[in-house]
Amino acid sequence: MKVIVIGAGVGGLASAIRLAAAGHQVEVLERNSVVGGKLATLEEAGYSFELGPTLLTLPHLFDELFQLAGTTLADEVDLVRLDPQIRYRWPNGSTLDVPDDPAGFPSALDAFSTGSGPQWQQFAEHTAILWELSERTFLAGPMNSPLAMLSRMRSPLDIGRIDGQRTLAKSAAAHFDDPRLQQLVGRYATYSGSSPFLAPATLACIAHVEQAFGCWYVMGGLGRLRDALERVAACAGVVIRTGVDVGRVAFDGRKVTGVELADGGAEPSDLVVSNVDAAHLYTDLLPNPKQAKRLDQAGRSTSAFVICAAVRGRTEGIAHHNVFFSLHDRQEFKYLEAGQMAIDPTIYACVSSVTDPGRAPADGENWYMLVNTPAATGVDRKMMTAAVLNRLAERGFDLRTRIDYTRTLVPADFEARYRAVDGAIYGTSSNGKRAAFARPGNAGPVEGLYLVGGSVHPGGGLPMVAISARIVADLVAERHG
């Protein structure tokens, strides 16, 4: 069958590889001049920065994908398992390194906060159960209703064990006495652009993913993974066309017939896979008021303010991945939940030149800094840059006199670059008990239309997007042979 994939993001390329490996004729149409979607990079004056994902987890998902095309992830990129995985810092000056050693982490926690080691062991056992349940229910296939997940459960007890009725913040408070560790656990909600005070405790499974499967870096930057996806897709027979803007999904009232291009051309096909933001699909490419209304009601994920700073010299005490926590996490998220910028935001900083010196000049560092913002929020780049750098200086990391240049991204940039409505990076948020079921499904309302990527089930982030591609390929095999 002829398949048109709209968008050459990670989901689009992964779907294309799977469908081509299954024998379909696949063509990918990408509006921008480069592939990869949010898996983007910036290179300027000897400094290289990620502009999207900065971390790879569950790399075996991409290895499985590449093996379908006759290669392996190890053959295509050079992976490094990070240790420490991340360095957390609090306003009181305390610091915690998360080692790449699940067995050793409890003792490190006990040194950080007496009594926290046994609490983490209990938490780790809980998160392992969450992951096992999530993998065979939520991540195992389409999720158009709660019945889809219930049908994959092995026991009525699984309903309670998946911990979807309480919030992540309540789970953290139940497991840990130290408020700093409660704040650390709450961080897992932000991985999907959500609030730990609203998102379900099921998200704690991310702790198990990082501890059991590791946190990985692609030498040369995550852009090398994008290049590998493009290369493997081409080797699998996928035709990739950049600079081609799709204006409409064509259908005959019952099933898709192809796509109409923004320049007036048309491309016929038997199937269409959409790797664009679901809100853009249902508002512009295939207007569907019912689906668009559902997305509005579900609520947008957060967006971000990003600074890429070319920094001279070396910074003592900095790791590859760093989190500088706010003083009051509940207050921080109250602002975000109300659609306002937090006065005291948590700052994430990735300095990949710590691991990969080639990403900065010999005496330099590539600082990527991110602060969560509400979607559809106007941000004064100059003022916000100064605010973030001033806050880091207060924490003992004064970069202000060492910066050669900065480049920034605001919510409006994410909307313009990726047609992510309101700049919401992950589409809908994970806030609320039913959020998983409010996220758009992988099968569209028109026969032959499928949805892939971070704005649809199962969610954002590289591993979830890879899983969405697998779900789409399975649906196509099931329905179209």
Side-chain angles (χ1 to χ4, degrees), residues 149-435:
M149 189 166 75
L150 288 172
S151 68
R152 300 176 193 132
M153 290 186 171
R154 296 173 183 166
S155 162
L157 296 176
D158 286 349
I159 298 173
R161 293 166 72 222
I162 205 162
D163 210 3
Q165 295 303 303
R166 62 177 173 175
T167 65
L168 183 61
K170 287 183 177 178
S171 173
H175 280 98
F176 297 102
D177 297 324
D178 192 324
R180 294 171 298 176
L181 298 181
Q182 296 173 19
Q183 192 172 19
L184 185 158
V185 171
R187 180 76 180 163
Y188 298 130
T190 66
Y191 286 29
S192 61
S194 309
S195 164
F197 299 94
L198 297 174
T202 313
L203 292 177
C205 69
I206 297 171
H208 176 75
V209 168
E210 292 184 344
Q211 286 286 287
F213 301 98
C215 294
W216 298 81
Y217 171 72
V218 180
M219 292 298 288
L222 271 292
R224 297 290 176 87
L225 178 61
R226 171 202 60 206
D227 298 341
L229 285 163
E230 182 179 22
R231 186 167 58 247
V232 172
C235 290
V238 176
V239 175
I240 301 173
R241 295 168 55 192
T242 57
V244 180
D245 192 8
V246 173
R248 199 90 164 178
V249 175
F251 70 106
D252 61 10
R254 185 181 64 86
K255 65 181 296 295
V256 300
T257 58
V259 298
E260 299 172 6
L261 306 182
D263 65 5
E267 291 288 343
S269 68
D270 302 297
L271 305 175
V272 172
V273 176
S274 172
N275 183 215
V276 303
D277 188 282
H280 171 50
L281 171 69
Y282 288 133
T283 302
D284 304 311
L285 303 188
L286 186 74
N288 187 309
K290 180 180 178 181
Q291 295 287 346
K293 183 179 180 180
R294 285 186 62 193
L295 287 170
D296 284 338
Q297 293 173 337
R300 303 273 184 244
S301 76
T302 56
S303 186
F305 173 67
V306 170
I307 306 171
C308 295
V311 177
R312 298 185 303 277
R314 289 284 185 267
T315 306
E316 185 177 350
I318 207 67
H320 188 126
H321 295 292
N322 311 266
V323 172
F324 298 84
F325 279 118
S326 62
L327 185 61
H328 298 293
D329 57 335
R330 185 68 194 99
Q331 192 65 31
E332 176 184 8
F333 284 99
K334 277 185 177 179
Y335 278 105
L336 294 175
E337 291 160 17
Q340 302 172 18
M341 295 288 294
I343 294 175
D344 174 28
T346 292
I347 301 168
Y348 164 68
C350 175
V351 190
S352 62
S353 57
V354 169
T355 302
D356 192 354
R359 304 210 67 204
D363 190 32
E365 295 172 334
N366 60 337
W367 279 69
Y368 166 99
M369 292 162 275
L370 181 147
V371 169
N372 292 315
T373 76
T377 295
V379 178
D380 185 307
R381 297 173 195 267
K382 187 174 181 179
M383 289 181 61
M384 194 62 188
T385 298
V388 170
L389 295 177
N390 289 342
R391 184 56 51 87
L392 285 178
E394 292 170 4
R395 299 290 194 86
F397 293 85
D398 193 350
L399 310 179
R400 293 172 297 188
T401 61
R402 299 164 49 203
I403 294 176
D404 281 336
Y405 66 82
T406 60
R407 301 291 180 261
T408 58
L409 292 173
V410 300
D413 294 321
F414 289 104
E415 182 166 32
R417 280 171 171 260
Y418 312 117
R419 287 179 174 159
V421 175
D422 294 333
I425 296 175
Y426 308 96
T428 58
S429 76
S430 296
N431 293 334
K433 297 176 183 178
R434 294 183 58 84

